[in-house]
């Protein structure tokens, strides 16, 4: 059992090593370790435009919704690895992950970006414009499901290389039913927040915030569905708040 002095020392160490990442959703038990990753591998390579957008977002009252810097770096590299050109993003917020995507795409790359709140997107738009990639983005304000249905009706099956979903968790399965037909064979879908603050392993009587408890069942339902979907290969990673990468194989 730790003495009072040891406990005090542990608290001081934790405070000293506390992460500085706004919108922090790392599942690492050590904040100091997460800060090490950010300061060693992420921040030194973060483009100036992304740093600027991250700092702008930090001042927004909903900043917890933003994609973390390490996840933004991961997405940017992933898009380059798969040579993505035609992409989609459902759930934009201020556009940090959108900018990470736009920077990774070739000059003639395209992103169909959808969010119910244009005001948040416009908060980050100056940084996107400054980076010289705004022309790659087709932003649509409003619910995504009608747009997806229209794409399918227009015969856009198998035309997307990559899709990133970070939106209403209660519609994730509805999105998946449509996106699996819109992404090409060999294409990738990334679902964000699939570990949902770690609540997916919390006991039923755990004291969770109302929104965390409400969406947890939807996230767990998605995880179960993806795990047995024969049309995809998956990899669930503890990056950010958990991201599940799905590669369509049939």
């Amino acid at each position: 059992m730790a003495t009072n002095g040891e406990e005090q020392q542990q608290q001081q160490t934790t405070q000293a090593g506390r992460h500085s990442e706004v919108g922090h959703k790392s599942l690492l038990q050590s904040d100091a370790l997460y800060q090490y990753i950010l300061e060693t591998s992420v921040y030194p390579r973060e483009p100036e435009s992304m740093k600027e957008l991250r700092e702008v977002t930090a001042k927004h009252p909903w900043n917890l919704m933003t994609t973390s810097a390490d996840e933004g770096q991961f997405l940017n590299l992933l898009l380059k690895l798969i040579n993505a050109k035609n992409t989609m993003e459902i759930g934009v917020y201020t556009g940090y992950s959108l900018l990470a995507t736009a920077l990774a795409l070739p000059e003639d790359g395209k992103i169909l970006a959808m969010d119910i709140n244009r005001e948040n997107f416009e908060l980050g738009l100056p940084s996107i414009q400054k980076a010289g990639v705004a022309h790659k983005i087709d932003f649509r304000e409003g619910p995504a499901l009608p747009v997806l249905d229209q794409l399918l009706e227009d015969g856009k099956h198998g035309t997307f290389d990559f899709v990133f979903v970070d939106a209403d968790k209660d519609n994730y399965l509805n999105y998946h039913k449509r996106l699996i037909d819109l992404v090409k064979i060999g294409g990738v879908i990334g679902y964000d927040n699939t570990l949902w603050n770690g609540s997916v392993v919390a006991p039923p009587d755990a004291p969770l915030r109302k929104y965390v408890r409400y969406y947890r069942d939807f996230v767990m339902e998605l995880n179960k569905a993806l795990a047995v979907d024969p049309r995809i290969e998956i990899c669930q990673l503890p990056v950010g708040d958990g991201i599940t990468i799905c590669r369509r194989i049939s």
Side-chain angles (χ1 to χ4, degrees):
M1 182 178 293
T3 65
N4 289 339
E6 289 172 332
E7 289 176 351
Q8 185 177 10
Q9 185 176 10
Q10 289 171 355
Q11 291 172 357
Q12 290 173 348
T13 301
T14 300
Q15 291 169 358
R18 189 69 184 171
H19 62 81
S20 62
E21 169 73 3
V22 173
H24 168 67
K25 304 175 212 175
S26 174
L27 297 167
L28 290 174
Q29 292 184 347
S30 166
D31 282 328
L33 181 57
Y34 182 54
Q35 190 65 25
Y36 172 82
I37 293 171
L38 293 174
E39 293 179 355
T40 304
S41 302
V42 180
Y43 291 157
R45 289 179 171 267
E46 185 180 35
E48 188 61 33
S49 57
M50 290 183 65
K51 178 183 178 182
E52 177 184 279
L53 180 47
R54 177 166 55 82
E55 291 174 347
V56 167
T57 304
K59 301 173 184 176
H60 194 274
W62 302 343
N63 60 52
L64 188 64
M65 291 170 53
T66 192
T67 299
S68 61
D70 54 322
E71 185 173 8
Q73 184 185 57
F74 169 72
L75 291 172
N76 181 272
L77 184 58
L78 175 63
L79 285 154
K80 292 172 181 174
L81 288 171
I82 66 173
N83 295 313
K85 184 174 180 180
N86 189 36
T87 71
M88 182 191 305
E89 182 160 328
I90 301 176
V92 171
Y93 185 42
T94 60
Y96 188 81
S97 57
L98 185 63
L99 179 54
T101 299
L103 289 169
L105 298 184
E107 186 63 19
D108 58 346
K110 297 295 180 185
I111 313 167
L112 173 58
M114 292 166 278
D115 199 289
I116 59 172
N117 191 320
R118 178 180 287 274
E119 184 178 345
N120 289 336
F121 166 65
E122 291 181 345
L123 187 66
L125 187 55
S127 298
I128 294 172
Q129 292 171 331
K130 188 181 297 185
V133 293
H135 66 282
K136 301 179 185 179
I137 299 168
D138 175 12
F139 180 82
R140 311 275 185 92
E141 183 178 24
L145 286 175
V147 178
L148 301 183
D149 288 337
Q150 188 62 53
L151 287 171
L152 290 169
E153 189 176 327
D154 293 342
K156 301 296 184 181
H157 300 74
T159 57
F160 288 88
D161 304 313
F162 178 80
V163 182
F164 182 58
V165 185
D166 183 9
D168 42 334
K169 316 309 169 195
D170 45 347
N171 265 322
Y172 267 28
L173 272 178
N174 289 324
Y175 292 141
H176 186 66
K177 290 174 184 176
R178 294 158 173 81
L179 294 176
I180 195 66
D181 289 325
L182 289 169
V183 74
K184 70 179 184 182
I185 292 178
V188 173
I189 307 171
Y191 290 103
D192 202 20
N193 306 117
T194 57
L195 294 177
W196 200 230
N197 298 129
S199 67
V200 291
V201 294
D205 58 347
L208 303 174
R209 293 181 181 179
K210 287 184 179 180
Y211 82 95
V212 173
R213 182 175 298 280
Y214 174 75
Y215 287 116
R216 178 178 63 170
D217 289 345
F218 293 107
V219 171
M220 294 177 72
E221 186 179 4
L222 171 79
N223 290 338
K224 290 177 182 178
L226 296 180
V228 297
D229 190 335
R231 300 167 296 180
I232 56 175
E233 297 174 321
I234 70 169
C235 180
Q236 189 173 29
L237 299 169
V239 176
D241 192 28
I243 181 172
T244 300
I245 302 300
C246 310
R247 178 176 177 268
R248 183 183 174 190
I249 56 176
S250 67

